[in-house]
Amino acid sequence: MDQNSLPPIQTTARDDAVLKALVGFVRAEALQPGERLPTERILAERLKVSRNTVREALTRWEGLGLVERRQGSGTYLKAAVSPDMLHMPLTLAGGNDFTSLMHTLEIRRALEAEAAALCAERASPADIAEIKRKLDIMEQAFRTRDGMSSEEDWEFHQAIYRVSGNPLFEQIIAAMHELFHRFWEHPLGVRDFGHASFPYHRTIYECIAARDPQGARAEALKLIATVEDDLKRGAAKLKLSSQT
């Protein structure tokens, strides 16, 4: 990789300029999804900006699902980029309040169902095998860790988003992932939060493997319905505790 192919930036609009320069670098180097970007230090040196500016630009890409930061390994490209791509800001209310979580879940309901249906239509045999591998890992984690399998669960769903053939599914849902991940650690007092959704991961996979898009959509909706029920249970517990 020729680090010198990344030109220094001569502009005050540093954030957008860094993003555009990174796009140009990725395309010039023909980097493909799954390949590693240069370190923040190297990028900062070539762009003549601070490492913090580079870090903020990469954080924006991470929020859009374009890169993945791996602890101790580096930053990896997750999706193809182009000079004319549009950045769609997505603002979510923080905290674990019921209304914010329900707003997120309503969007997930539509996206999860359609992604599962498209996956059933478009998955290759290799794709189906990979989804099955992620499912087996998730099920093993669920059974051995008393239902604590949120990361493995996320990996299973990500595999479906990727196979759907539309990168927007993964990018949009990734932007909402942090809110739900934080909630999973403190699920409104619902100790078995998400447990009811467990069997639907396998039924979704079975529909995908059977090339049944309508079935995959229906099973995804059932899964989201169990999460909604858990949210409502948690909200009811909080309301009851506040009244006592």
Side-chain angles (χ1 to χ4, degrees):
M1 183 183 296
D2 180 10
Q3 312 293 355
N4 292 318
S5 64
L6 193 59
I9 287 177
Q10 304 294 331
T11 178
T12 56
R14 290 297 172 95
D15 284 350
D16 288 339
V18 168
L19 292 173
K20 290 178 181 178
L22 286 173
V23 169
F25 175 77
V26 167
R27 290 173 66 85
E29 296 297 321
L31 291 176
Q32 300 299 313
E35 295 185 329
R36 186 170 60 183
L37 273 65
T39 65
E40 291 178 359
R41 180 183 62 79
I42 291 173
L43 290 173
E45 288 175 355
R46 300 305 175 188
L47 294 170
K48 307 301 181 186
V49 296
S50 69
R51 291 180 64 176
N52 188 56
T53 298
V54 171
R55 188 175 300 117
E56 289 175 356
L58 291 175
T59 296
R60 288 178 62 185
W61 268 20
E62 186 176 31
L64 292 166
L66 298 176
V67 297
E68 176 185 6
R69 283 166 164 164
R70 301 177 189 172
Q71 186 68 32
S73 180
T75 301
Y76 291 79
L77 191 67
K78 289 181 64 178
V81 296
S82 66
D84 56 351
M85 67 181 182
L86 299 175
H87 301 288
M88 298 188 302
L90 182 63
T91 302
L92 301 173
N96 288 346
D97 64 283
F98 176 74
T99 300
S100 296
L101 290 165
M102 281 301 299
H103 287 167
T104 304
L105 190 65
E106 287 166 359
I107 299 301
R108 279 195 63 186
R109 178 184 287 112
L111 295 176
E112 297 272 4
E114 191 61 23
L118 289 173
C119 182
E121 292 178 357
R122 299 171 177 175
S124 68
D127 292 331
I128 292 173
E130 176 63 10
I131 294 170
K132 174 64 161 54
R133 188 180 73 84
K134 295 292 188 181
L135 173 66
D136 290 342
I137 293 172
M138 189 215 78
E139 289 182 336
Q140 178 68 15
F142 184 91
R143 294 189 177 106
T144 58
R145 299 207 301 262
D146 194 26
M148 299 300 293
S149 59
S150 62
E151 285 304 320
E152 293 80 7
D153 182 294
W154 173 240
E155 289 291 329
F156 169 78
H157 287 286
Q158 278 192 307
I160 292 176
Y161 308 148
R162 294 187 189 110
V163 176
S164 74
N166 186 334
L168 290 178
F169 282 115
E170 185 176 5
Q171 291 175 33
I172 294 173
I173 296 179
M176 299 186 291
H177 174 59
E178 184 179 353
L179 177 62
F180 257 84
H181 181 70
R182 290 204 310 265
F183 172 76
W184 233 275
E185 296 176 345
H186 307 283
L188 296 177
V190 180
R191 294 184 177 276
D192 61 346
F193 181 86
H195 289 201
S197 72
F198 176 71
Y200 294 109
H201 294 79
R202 179 158 289 276
T203 57
I204 290 171
Y205 160 75
E206 289 171 348
C207 289
I208 291 171
R211 312 289 187 181
D212 178 7
Q214 295 304 320
R217 179 183 286 110
E219 294 305 305
L221 289 173
K222 290 177 186 177
L223 185 153
I224 295 297
T226 67
V227 178
E228 181 176 357
D229 288 342
D230 284 345
L231 285 178
K232 289 179 177 177
R233 277 199 297 140
K237 281 189 175 184
L238 284 181
K239 183 177 181 179
L240 184 61
S241 64
S242 67
Q243 295 173 346
T244 58

